[in-house]
Amino acid sequence: MDHRKKALLLGDYTHPDWHPLQGVDAEISRIFHDTMTVQCSENRNMLLQENITGFDVCISYMDDWKGKVSPQQTAGLLSYVSNGGGLVIIHNGISLQNRYELKQMIGAKFLHHPAYAPLEFTVTAESHPVTEGISNFTMEEEPYQFEFGSFAETKILLEYQSEEGPKPAVWAHRYGVGRIVYLMPGHHVPSFAHETYRKLLLQAGKWAARYV
């Protein structure tokens, strides 16, 4: 019997705006292989309450900047997380922000990004389970920049260095009795080959799914 927890990975195979799930799905499945099974889908109806409740964590790699998530799907995800589900959002997965209710739950919104470049990442919360044992690292990535709301009690776990100074790269907070982590890196398949980032993503998933 398989005692691993269950993760739902949502992204876009058919019509991604910029970030296809192909290839990324295999990397994420490998990262979580020992701790969770990963079901990959582009079907937004998996967010409906009757479908999402069977999973321990939902991973958003949705590349849906035009905002196709329906009110019913939005309600399903909000209910799922507030009642104890985990939500891990990777890079473009923050496109969920097109629903204002989800933007509030995430705690921030994407604004823009300068060009893809080598970035220096610095751990700002060493004691958090997501960043435990993670050292500062460098990787090439799209440097997303965000505006934070004033409602979520978000803890910044990782920053990257920009020309204007440090910018948030990873954050985490609770929503109801659920847990949310956002990870800025994850632009394309090579991002997931970075060993430190793989460890960071694994620990984010385990925290969100209540392994720790």
Side-chain angles (χ1 to χ4, degrees):
M1 185 175 178
D2 195 336
H3 295 289
R4 291 176 294 173
K5 293 196 175 190
K6 294 179 180 179
L8 171 66
L9 171 59
L10 289 174
D12 292 272
Y13 292 110
T14 314
H15 300 294
D17 290 336
W18 308 102
H19 304 86
L21 189 56
Q22 283 98 337
V24 169
D25 53 359
E27 291 295 330
I28 292 175
S29 297
R30 277 194 283 269
I31 289 167
F32 288 111
H33 180 267
D34 292 336
T35 52
M36 285 182 256
T37 61
V38 179
Q39 180 175 329
C40 308
S41 178
E42 65 175 0
N43 183 359
R44 301 290 187 268
N45 280 331
M46 291 302 295
L47 293 172
L48 295 174
Q49 192 165 0
E50 60 267 28
N51 296 329
I52 198 171
T53 49
F55 296 91
D56 299 287
V57 63
C58 175
I59 305 170
S60 171
Y61 197 73
M62 287 189 224
D63 201 38
D64 184 13
W65 298 100
K66 299 178 182 73
K68 301 189 186 81
V69 177
S70 72
Q72 293 80 9
Q73 294 160 354
T74 299
L77 183 57
L78 288 168
S79 175
Y80 167 75
V81 178
S82 62
N83 284 296
L87 176 61
V88 175
I89 304 165
I90 301 172
H91 195 60
N92 46 274
I94 201 169
S95 62
L96 285 167
Q97 70 185 36
N98 281 302
R99 297 295 314 191
Y100 77 90
E101 308 98 314
L102 298 179
K103 180 166 59 184
Q104 288 178 332
M105 181 173 72
I106 295 164
K109 68 174 181 178
F110 167 79
L111 297 174
H112 54 81
H113 70 80
Y116 183 85
L119 301 177
E120 295 179 12
F121 291 90
T122 305
V123 177
T124 54
E126 295 177 359
S127 60
H128 196 282
V130 173
T131 45
E132 186 177 357
I134 299 288
S135 301
N136 298 344
F137 62 96
T138 301
M139 66 183 286
E140 293 191 5
E141 194 50 67
E142 276 184 337
Y144 275 22
Q145 297 182 9
F146 310 94
E147 176 186 322
F148 282 80
S150 57
F151 305 112
E153 295 180 0
T154 292
K155 187 172 186 64
I156 305 299
L157 306 180
L158 208 72
E159 294 177 335
Y160 70 90
Q161 304 308 312
S162 75
E163 291 180 358
E164 298 99 39
K167 302 278 188 184
V170 176
W171 63 82
H173 55 256
R174 297 170 191 269
Y175 182 82
V177 291
R179 297 177 175 185
I180 297 173
V181 187
Y182 176 78
L183 301 102
M184 185 273 279
H187 169 58
H188 55 180
V189 172
S191 303
F192 296 87
H194 193 288
E195 284 304 319
T196 304
Y197 179 63
R198 291 172 77 88
K199 181 179 179 181
L200 185 69
L201 178 54
L202 174 62
Q203 292 181 176
K206 289 174 74 172
W207 181 75
R210 299 177 179 274
Y211 270 102
V212 287

